[in-house]
């Protein structure tokens, strides 16, 4: 009979993130090929894991059409050279797609049904923009006033957070966005990201070949004066700008998960242990506050408080969304525990891929911080949701 098991994040890798659109480095690169590269990267870096032992592959995409369709987990597994005996499937929870890939596989591993699994996500926002062209929302949402007509305009939902919480000022959001850019560049200069990036051969709009080795959208020259002068595209005289929003981005992520038995049998060295996870729903019109109730829920399930969390990786869909969570938990905007290598404002947010990017960064920080026991990855989700996962650091030594 299968026995319950701990769940471990063994490893994770990702492609560099590229600007969406014709000027982006992935304009002529297929979405599924990005996911293939991330999958191959993880498997090649873990040669002690027999490919035939992978029990399942979960890959998320928000727009499951075209080169992001065809049951991504299965098609990418085949394209990446995994044995035909390895199954796979696709997941959609908008921005929390990859996070849900991980938690879904974690449930199967925790129940003892799986020993090893791959979980990740991909989004090619250049090929599949989040502009409504790929979906047909039910007219009842608006006709019956279930959801505001503009609830799927994420920028407007961010403006509404500013409206509801006047203390979350534009200046605070601008400063957070600027620091994200500066921290991301400092992390690049220190070589923090590079070990977990898989290089991708690219073919640009002009036909020239290149090699993607770094995230394309960084703007380290960002300053407060420049941010103050930016237009507010979502509302006249608003507070949300391109400088405090995650850019449209292409990219893929992949993680390798294992149960305790497989870790011992194969001699693996996990980077994190999953403690708890939770998802929660909020008003779609202010979807950015979603990580607040999901984090509270995950903390309750873990028997922890926010003061137990030593490192935070929070998705920066918008700066105001992150600082709303920080205010709720009485954490300073510039707390060094929060997004210490920057976040999506600088690196990009390829929707369904981002959850595993947060985990990859937290795992790398855990290795440097044996004084930290617990870390949090959390994000807001379109249509009014939040997702949070609490992790334990295997390097923790109890010393401050």
């Amino acid at each position: 009979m299968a026995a319950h098991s701990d769940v471990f994040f063994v490893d994770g890798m990702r492609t560099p993130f590229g600007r969406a659109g014709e000027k982006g480095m992935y304009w002529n690169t297929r979405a599924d090929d990005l996911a293939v590269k991330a999958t191959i990267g993880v498997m090649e870096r873990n040669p002690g894991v027999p490919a035939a032992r992978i029990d399942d592959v979960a890959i998320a995409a928000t727009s499951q059409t075209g080169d992001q369709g065809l049951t991504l987990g299965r098609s990418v597994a085949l394209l990446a050279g995994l044995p035909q005996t390895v199954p796979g499937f696709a997941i959609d929870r908008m921005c929390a797609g990859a996070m849900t890939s991980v938690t879904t596989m974690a449930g199967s591993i925790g129940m003892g049904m799986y020993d090893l699994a791959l979980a990740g996500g991909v989004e090619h926002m250049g090929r599949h923009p989040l502009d409504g062209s790929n979906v047909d929302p039910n007219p009842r949402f608006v006709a019956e006033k279930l959801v505001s007509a503009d609830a799927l305009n994420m920028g407007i939902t961010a403006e509404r957070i500013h409206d509801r919480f006047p203390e979350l000022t534009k200046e605070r959001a601008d400063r957070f966005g600027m620091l994200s850019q500066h921290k991301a560049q400092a992390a690049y200069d220190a070589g923090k990201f590079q070990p977990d990036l898989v290089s991708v051969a690219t073919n640009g709009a002009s036909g020239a070949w290149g090699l993607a080795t770094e995230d394309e959208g960084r703007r380290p020259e960002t300053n407060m004066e420049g941010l103050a002068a930016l237009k507010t595209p979502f509302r006249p005289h608003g507070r949300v700008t391109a400088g405090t929003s995650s850019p449209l981005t292409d990219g893929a992520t992949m993680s390798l998960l294992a149960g305790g038995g497989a870790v011992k049998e194969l001699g693996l060295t996990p980077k994190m242990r999953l403690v708890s996870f939770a998802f929660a729903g909020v008003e779609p019109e202010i979807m950015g506050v979603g990580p607040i109730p999901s984090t509270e829920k995950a903390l309750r399930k873990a028997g922890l408080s926010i003061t137990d969390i030593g490192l935070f990786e929070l998705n920066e869909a918008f700066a105001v969304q992150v600082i709303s969570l920080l205010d709720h938990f009485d954490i300073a905007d510039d707390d060094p525990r929060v997004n210490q290598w920057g976040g999506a404002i600088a690196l990009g947010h390829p929707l369904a891929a981002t959850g595993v990017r947060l985990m990859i960064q937290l795992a790398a920080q855990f290795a440097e911080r044996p004084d930290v026991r617990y870390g949090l990855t959390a994000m807001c989700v379109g249509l009014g949701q939040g997702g949070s996962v609490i992790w334990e650091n295997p390097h923790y030594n109890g010393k401050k």
Side-chain angles (χ1 to χ4, degrees):
M1 180 178 292
H4 290 189
S5 170
D6 281 335
V7 180
F8 295 95
F9 182 98
V10 176
D11 200 5
M13 297 191 77
R14 66 179 178 90
T15 68
F17 290 170
R19 292 192 189 102
E22 289 188 33
K23 296 181 180 179
M25 59 189 181
Y26 294 137
W27 179 243
N28 287 325
T29 304
R30 290 178 58 97
D32 47 12
D33 282 337
L34 291 174
V36 167
K37 290 293 292 187
T39 303
I40 291 173
V42 170
M43 294 303 296
E44 287 185 345
R45 196 158 76 171
N46 293 273
V49 175
R53 291 284 304 276
I54 300 295
D55 288 299
D56 213 344
V57 180
I59 300 180
T62 301
S63 297
Q64 295 194 14
T65 184
D67 56 341
Q68 288 182 182
L70 198 61
T71 313
L72 274 169
R74 175 60 171 171
S75 59
V76 167
L78 292 171
L79 290 165
L82 298 181
Q84 292 185 0
T85 53
V86 177
F89 63 105
I91 279 182
D92 173 19
R93 201 199 293 265
M94 291 193 178
C95 299
M99 178 177 282
T100 306
S101 294
V102 168
T103 57
T104 300
M105 291 307 203
S108 296
I109 292 171
M111 284 296 294
M113 299 298 107
Y114 292 175
D115 297 316
L116 296 157
L118 291 168
V122 62
E123 207 76 50
H124 199 305
M125 299 184 76
R127 288 174 177 264
H128 310 289
L130 193 66
D131 61 2
S133 61
N134 295 319
V135 295
D136 179 19
N138 194 302
R140 288 183 51 224
F141 279 125
V142 176
E144 299 179 19
K145 297 184 179 180
L146 301 174
V147 174
S148 169
D150 55 15
L152 279 175
N153 185 316
M154 301 307 167
I156 290 178
T157 69
E159 288 282 8
R160 286 202 180 99
I161 298 177
H162 278 294
D163 294 341
R164 187 167 296 196
F165 305 102
E167 66 275 14
L168 304 178
T169 64
K170 182 178 185 298
E171 183 179 2
R172 286 179 64 185
D174 283 354
R175 186 169 300 280
F176 190 91
M178 178 187 72
L179 292 177
S180 179
Q181 296 283 0
H182 294 176
K183 290 189 288 186
Q185 188 58 47
Y188 255 104
D189 293 343
K192 303 295 187 183
F193 293 117
Q194 292 88 331
D196 296 317
L197 297 178
V198 178
S199 298
V200 179
T202 62
N203 185 261
S206 66
W209 286 92
L211 188 67
T213 60
E214 294 187 354
D215 298 309
E216 189 178 26
R218 308 191 314 278
R219 297 182 182 275
E221 72 283 359
T222 300
N223 57 48
M224 291 294 286
E225 293 75 19
L227 290 173
L230 292 177
K231 296 179 180 179
T232 57
F234 305 109
R235 178 190 294 175
H237 311 294
R239 286 145 294 190
V240 179
T241 70
T244 55
S245 310
S246 56
L248 303 180
T249 311
D250 306 330
T253 60
M254 184 56 64
S255 67
L256 173 64
L257 308 174
V263 166
K264 184 175 181 180
E265 175 193 351
L266 299 174
L268 305 178
T269 305
K271 295 183 175 181
M272 302 191 292
R273 183 183 74 87
L274 195 151
V275 177
S276 70
F277 66 86
F279 295 92
V282 296
E283 298 170 60
E285 291 79 5
I286 54 165
M287 65 93 196
V289 301
I292 295 173
S294 64
T295 296
E296 291 177 329
K297 195 173 178 182
L299 288 168
R300 285 196 303 271
K301 290 182 176 295
L304 299 172
S305 72
I306 199 68
T307 57
D308 293 310
I309 304 301
L311 288 169
F312 295 79
E313 277 296 321
L314 308 176
N315 187 39
E316 299 170 358
F318 299 93
V320 67
Q321 172 261 314
V322 180
I323 60 177
S324 71
L325 181 146
L326 298 180
D327 264 23
H328 178 84
F329 288 109
D330 196 25
I331 299 169
D333 295 357
D334 59 354
D335 190 303
R337 297 173 297 169
V338 177
N339 293 9
Q340 63 177 4
W341 296 348
I345 290 172
L347 303 173
H349 173 30
L351 302 183
T354 289
V356 167
R357 195 267 299 167
L358 301 175
M359 297 169 193
I360 291 169
Q361 286 184 210
L362 180 62
Q365 292 162 22
F366 270 170
E368 297 182 351
R369 295 290 304 276
D371 59 309
V372 170
R373 185 171 184 181
Y374 298 110
L376 171 72
T377 55
M379 61 200 313
C380 61
V381 190
L383 273 183
Q385 300 181 80
S388 303
V389 187
I390 296 173
W391 302 91
E392 185 176 29
N393 184 1
H395 308 283
Y396 177 68
N397 60 15
K399 298 177 181 179
K400 296 295 183 182

